[in-house]
Each structure stands twice: as C-alpha cells, then as structure tokens.
Amino acid sequence: MNIRLYILATFNLDAIGEANGISIAVMGMLIVFCALGLIFIFIGCLPRLMVYLEPWLPEMESHAPAPEESLPLDRDKIIVAIATALKQRQRHN
Amino acid sequence: MDIFFEFLKTTGFFNMTVGNAVMILIGIVFIGLAIIKHYEPLLLLPIGFGMIVGNIPTIASMALGVYDEGSLTMGEDGIRYSPGSILSYLYYGVSQGVYPPLIFLGIGAMTDFSTMLSNPKLVLLGAAAQIGIFLTLLGALALGFSPAQAGAIGIIGGADGPTAIFLSSRLAPELLGAIAIAAYSYMALVPVIQPPIMYLFTTREERLIRMAPPRVVTQWEKIIFPIAAFLICTLIAPGSLVLLGMLFFGNLMKESMVTERLANTARTALIDIVTILLGFAVGASTEAQTFLRPQSLMIFGLGALSFAVATAGGVVFAKLMNVFLTEKINPLVGAAGVSAVPDSARVVQMVGQQEDPHNYLLMHAMAPNVAGVIGSAVAAGVLWSVLGG
C-alpha cells in the first residue's frame, strides 16, 4: 500500500518531456535499428563479396569434423564394444 | 565478564536488523532456486551466497563490506594508506566495469553467428526487442528517476546481465546492486515471463509456421563477420566499443581457428572465473541499508515491464515483417531478440514444440538471440554517450 502511494506520488509524465525522454528513446531506437540494419545489409552482401574474395583466400576447413573423419573412430568403438560384450557372454556360458 | 559482554555486542546476532534478515532470506531463496529449480544456477548461486555474505552485520571499525574501500588519510606522520576490505577489491571489477567486458570476451568465444549469417533478416528482430529498453527509460523518468538512472534501469530490458552492470556502473553506480539483481533475476525467470506474452501476441497458425533450414556458411564468412560488425557498430555508437570489442574479438579468436587455445581459455576458465567474482561481488553489494528502499522495488517493477515489452516488441515486429515476406518467419522467434542467451531461444523452441513437436525453432531463434546481444550493447553505448555527460 505504501509503495503504491509512493509510486502515485512520484509519477509525473512532465518529467519525460523535461528530460527530452521521447527524443532520446526515438533516437536510441533509430540508432540500434541503423546499426543492426547495416549488419543485415552487410550479411546480405557477404555471399556476393565472397565470390570476389574467395579466389584470393586460402581454403579453410570448418570447425565441425567431416562425417568421414568421425566414422572410423565411431566404428572402432562400436566393434570394441561388441567384441567385449561377446567375450563376456562366452565367459558366462 | 565485561569483555564477554563487549564481544557479544560485536556479534552479528546483536547487530542484525530486520533488513539484513530479509536479505539473507532472499539469498537463501536464490540458492534454493539455483539448486532445486535449476534457474540460472551459475549466476543465482554466487549471487545468493554473496547476498548472505553482504548482509552479515559487521563492526564499523573493521573493513569487511564491499563498500569499505581503501583510503588515504593525512596524519602527523604524513599520508597514510588504509587498505580496503577484500570484498571491496572484488567489487572493484563491478564498480569500474571490468568484469562485463571479460564476460563478453568469453561469450564471443562461444558464440556461433552462423544462423544469423544464414538468415540475415532475423537480425532485425534483435533490434526490435530493444524497444523494452527505451520504453522503460520513459517509465523510469516518469517515476522520478534522473535521466542517467532511468537509462541504467532501462537497460534491464536488454536482458543482458553484463551490459546492465556495465551501464549502471557508468551511469548510476548507486543503483548498481538493485539493477544487477533485477537483471539476473529476470534472466533466470525467462521461462516464466516470456511464454504468456508469446501466446498473447500470436495465433496458433502463426506458432505452427515452419522455417526453411539455414544455408551452410563458409568459414571465411564467419571470420570476416566479427571484424565488419565491430566496425559498423562502434563507428555508429562508439560507447559500445568496450563490450562489442571484446565480444567480436572473442568470436574472431574462435573462428580464426589459429588461436584455439586462447578461445578455449576465454570460453571456459576465464568466463567461469569472472562469473564467480561478478556474481559473488554483486550479491555482496546488496547490503540491506543500501538495497531495501522503495527505489529498489520500483526498479524490480520496471525491470519486469521492460522484459515484457521487449518480448512483445520482438514478436510483434516478426508479425509485421511477415506482412512483407513471402517466406514467413515464425513470430515466436522474435521473442529471442531480448538476448538472454541461450535461454530465450530455448523458450522459443519449447513454446513452438508445444504446438508442433516436430518444429525445430532453436537454430532460427539463435539468430535474433545473438543479434539481441549486439543490439543491447549498441543501446548501452547510445545511452552512455547521451546520458553520461
């Protein structure tokens, strides 16, 4: 109840105008949109830019290992697991 | 016996105020939320324990609290330095804005901008969600806060703890504790706050929209992007230089693949150490005498409003974009524009899958999510440069 009274007592829309609040808010939003809008345009142009740049750039591999690279390791692990399971079964028998 | 009674007067039990007890209880609730509910445990646990530490009453002559800083005094034997408390040195990283850029370095080293690069129009959702910041600024001004304080409170809507701490340390250090606690509390409550707003502003048909899978992005695109994005943002808003500089530097270390050791340290050990120090120091700064004021409650109220408006802003802007787009985007994705990486993206995935269990929105939501991080840092830079004079 006291907090509600405190808020009602302090609430003053004129303070927004006095501090140029609307102008700051509108300008701030426009600048954020401008920055991210330019990033949007840059990313949109990036594939076309890469067409020109790629002949000059060395080839680079991506972070993610190619499926072919990861297969032998996985296959080995699976074979070891199957062999261990079969050996344990033979022992029990 | 007199010595014993004198000692009793120095104990925490003797000097405990109701405010201290309330804050210790809140600290225990934070720890409970972290351990039992798993709400942002990496943040709420250090903050919660820090709150308990910061509210143990101490004796005035002993430098123990975060606000007991070192000082120089002029005496008969010349200038004498009285060292501050250990907590004040830990808090130095918060009050001087040292920790947030280091956290941004780690975030940069773990962020993958691929989804954003593959679907650039989603970047705009990260801008739209920043409306929460600027509308809250107006609300805070109307409630009697000074312009600088209003700017610091507004940034809670950016849903980015480090950015909130950084800006409030520059604009309104006296409100830093309340703003930091509000920002991190609401970040932890993203799964509770966002879904009702997402349901309110979308129809079932919209929530069922499936988006095209993202295109494959080359490694060179990922390397060029952080340099170009840094130049674009900081030339427009130089105030965001520190935060975005560290964010994109961390990302370049990751994507260049020639500094893997550095990137690995930034995204693991470094960010963990700084998170511990930041969380604990922020928690310890919430001494009841400085924290339990009507202002703090208003900051919490404005923070909740800010989060809600930011979420609605992202969702509504996505719907607006759909009016002009042939390939529609799921408006739920707009809610991830508030940053709060990666929780808000997870919430988008969760709400989307409640309508269609085979609709995978997580990858798409990560684009506005990381754009939101950039957007809130730019907004912080703008507010700092306009209100910090």
Side-chain angles (χ1 to χ4, degrees):
Chain A
M1 189 65 185
N2 288 340
I3 287 294
R4 199 181 296 169
L5 285 173
Y6 183 85
I7 290 170
L8 283 173
T10 52
F11 194 80
N12 175 20
L13 282 175
D14 294 339
I16 297 174
E18 284 162 19
N20 288 324
I22 303 274
S23 312
I24 294 170
V26 171
M27 184 204 67
M29 263 322 270
L30 282 177
I31 293 174
V32 171
F33 260 101
C34 182
L36 290 178
L38 281 175
I39 289 179
F40 160 65
I41 293 167
F42 174 76
I43 298 172
C45 298
L46 197 54
R48 265 168 274 172
L49 189 71
M50 291 312 293
V51 173
Y52 296 103
L53 287 176
E54 257 163 8
W56 303 90
L57 298 169
E59 266 189 40
M60 279 195 101
E61 284 176 17
S62 179
H63 273 294
E68 292 78 18
E69 282 177 310
S70 58
L71 262 175
L73 187 67
D74 293 343
R75 201 179 293 149
D76 288 348
K77 280 182 183 170
I78 292 165
I79 290 166
V80 169
I82 292 168
T84 312
L86 283 172
K87 201 168 184 181
Q88 279 180 347
R89 199 175 168 186
Q90 278 176 346
R91 276 185 195 160
H92 282 296
N93 290 338
Chain B
M1 205 60 184
D2 288 346
I3 296 170
F4 179 68
F5 282 119
E6 279 304 311
F7 170 74
L8 276 184
K9 284 181 187 171
T10 67
T11 63
F13 289 112
F14 188 84
N15 295 300
M16 179 76 70
T17 62
V18 178
N20 289 135
V22 169
M23 290 308 295
I24 289 173
L25 204 67
I26 295 172
I28 292 169
V29 170
F30 271 40
I31 294 171
L33 284 174
I35 296 171
I36 300 162
K37 292 279 183 185
H38 295 261
Y39 284 165
E40 292 273 353
L42 300 181
L43 293 168
L44 288 193
L45 196 107
I47 291 176
F49 201 82
M51 285 169 101
I52 297 173
V53 170
N55 280 284
I56 300 295
T58 55
I59 315 157
S61 59
M62 291 170 79
L64 289 169
V66 288
Y67 300 111
D68 296 325
E69 292 174 346
S71 59
L72 292 169
T73 45
M74 195 71 159
E76 286 172 7
D77 51 342
I79 297 171
R80 203 170 141 235
Y81 176 69
S82 311
S85 70
I86 297 294
L87 285 178
S88 76
Y89 293 117
L90 296 182
Y91 190 64
Y92 184 84
V94 178
S95 63
Q96 298 304 310
V98 178
Y99 297 146
L102 293 175
I103 290 196
F104 261 62
L105 181 76
I107 293 171
M110 63 173 80
T111 301
D112 187 355
F113 286 106
S114 301
T115 48
M116 202 170 97
L117 293 171
S118 66
N119 198 351
K121 59 181 175 285
L122 297 179
V123 172
L124 297 175
L125 299 175
Q130 306 313 317
I131 194 168
I133 295 176
F134 295 102
L135 286 184
T136 308
L137 168 99
L138 300 181
L141 284 172
L143 283 171
F145 287 97
S146 71
Q149 289 176 331
I153 294 166
I155 204 72
I156 299 172
D160 202 325
T163 307
I165 289 171
F166 183 80
L167 189 67
S168 47
S169 73
R170 308 288 94 187
L171 292 182
E174 67 281 7
L175 301 180
L176 201 153
I179 289 170
I181 297 292
Y184 279 117
S185 307
Y186 292 130
M187 277 169 69
L189 293 173
V190 157
V192 180
I193 298 172
Q194 284 199 310
I197 299 159
M198 290 156 82
Y199 280 111
L200 185 70
F201 285 95
T202 53
T203 61
R204 187 168 187 273
E205 288 70 35
E206 286 171 331
R207 291 194 291 272
L208 285 169
I209 293 174
R210 287 195 180 194
M211 293 170 68
R215 75 171 173 89
V216 177
V217 177
T218 67
Q219 196 59 34
W220 274 111
E221 285 178 273
K222 291 187 206 172
I223 292 170
I224 293 168
F225 173 73
I227 302 168
F230 171 71
L231 288 172
I232 291 168
C233 292
T234 50
L235 288 174
I236 290 173
S240 60
L241 184 129
V242 186
L243 293 175
L244 289 181
M246 294 303 247
L247 178 83
F248 289 123
F249 172 49
N251 190 251
L252 185 62
M253 285 199 299
K254 171 184 177 273
E255 300 299 354
S256 68
M257 297 198 297
V258 291
T259 50
E260 193 50 41
R261 269 174 53 197
L262 303 187
N264 198 37
T265 302
R267 67 172 160 257
T268 54
L270 182 65
I271 198 168
D272 288 348
I273 291 167
V274 180
T275 302
I276 292 168
L277 295 176
L278 178 89
F280 187 78
V282 163
S285 72
T286 60
E287 288 176 4
Q289 292 76 3
T290 57
F291 192 79
L292 284 183
R293 287 181 295 185
Q295 269 192 335
S296 301
L297 285 174
M298 286 204 289
I299 290 169
F300 271 79
L302 285 165
L305 179 79
S306 184
F307 246 71
V309 173
T311 305
V315 173
V316 171
F317 194 77
K319 287 167 68 113
L320 187 71
M321 281 171 74
N322 274 345
V323 175
F324 305 99
L325 292 173
T326 45
E327 203 175 274
K328 306 289 180 200
I329 52 178
N330 191 316
L332 292 176
V333 167
V338 300
S339 40
V341 181
D343 285 3
S344 56
R346 281 197 204 126
V347 169
V348 169
Q349 164 82 357
M350 184 190 78
V351 175
Q353 289 205 323
Q354 277 170 0
E355 299 292 348
D356 177 4
H358 302 292
N359 195 2
Y360 298 98
L361 293 172
L362 185 68
M363 288 298 282
H364 303 288
M366 282 310 291
N369 214 190
V370 290
V373 176
I374 301 170
S376 57
V378 171
V382 173
L383 290 173
W384 187 18
S385 55
V386 174
L387 303 171

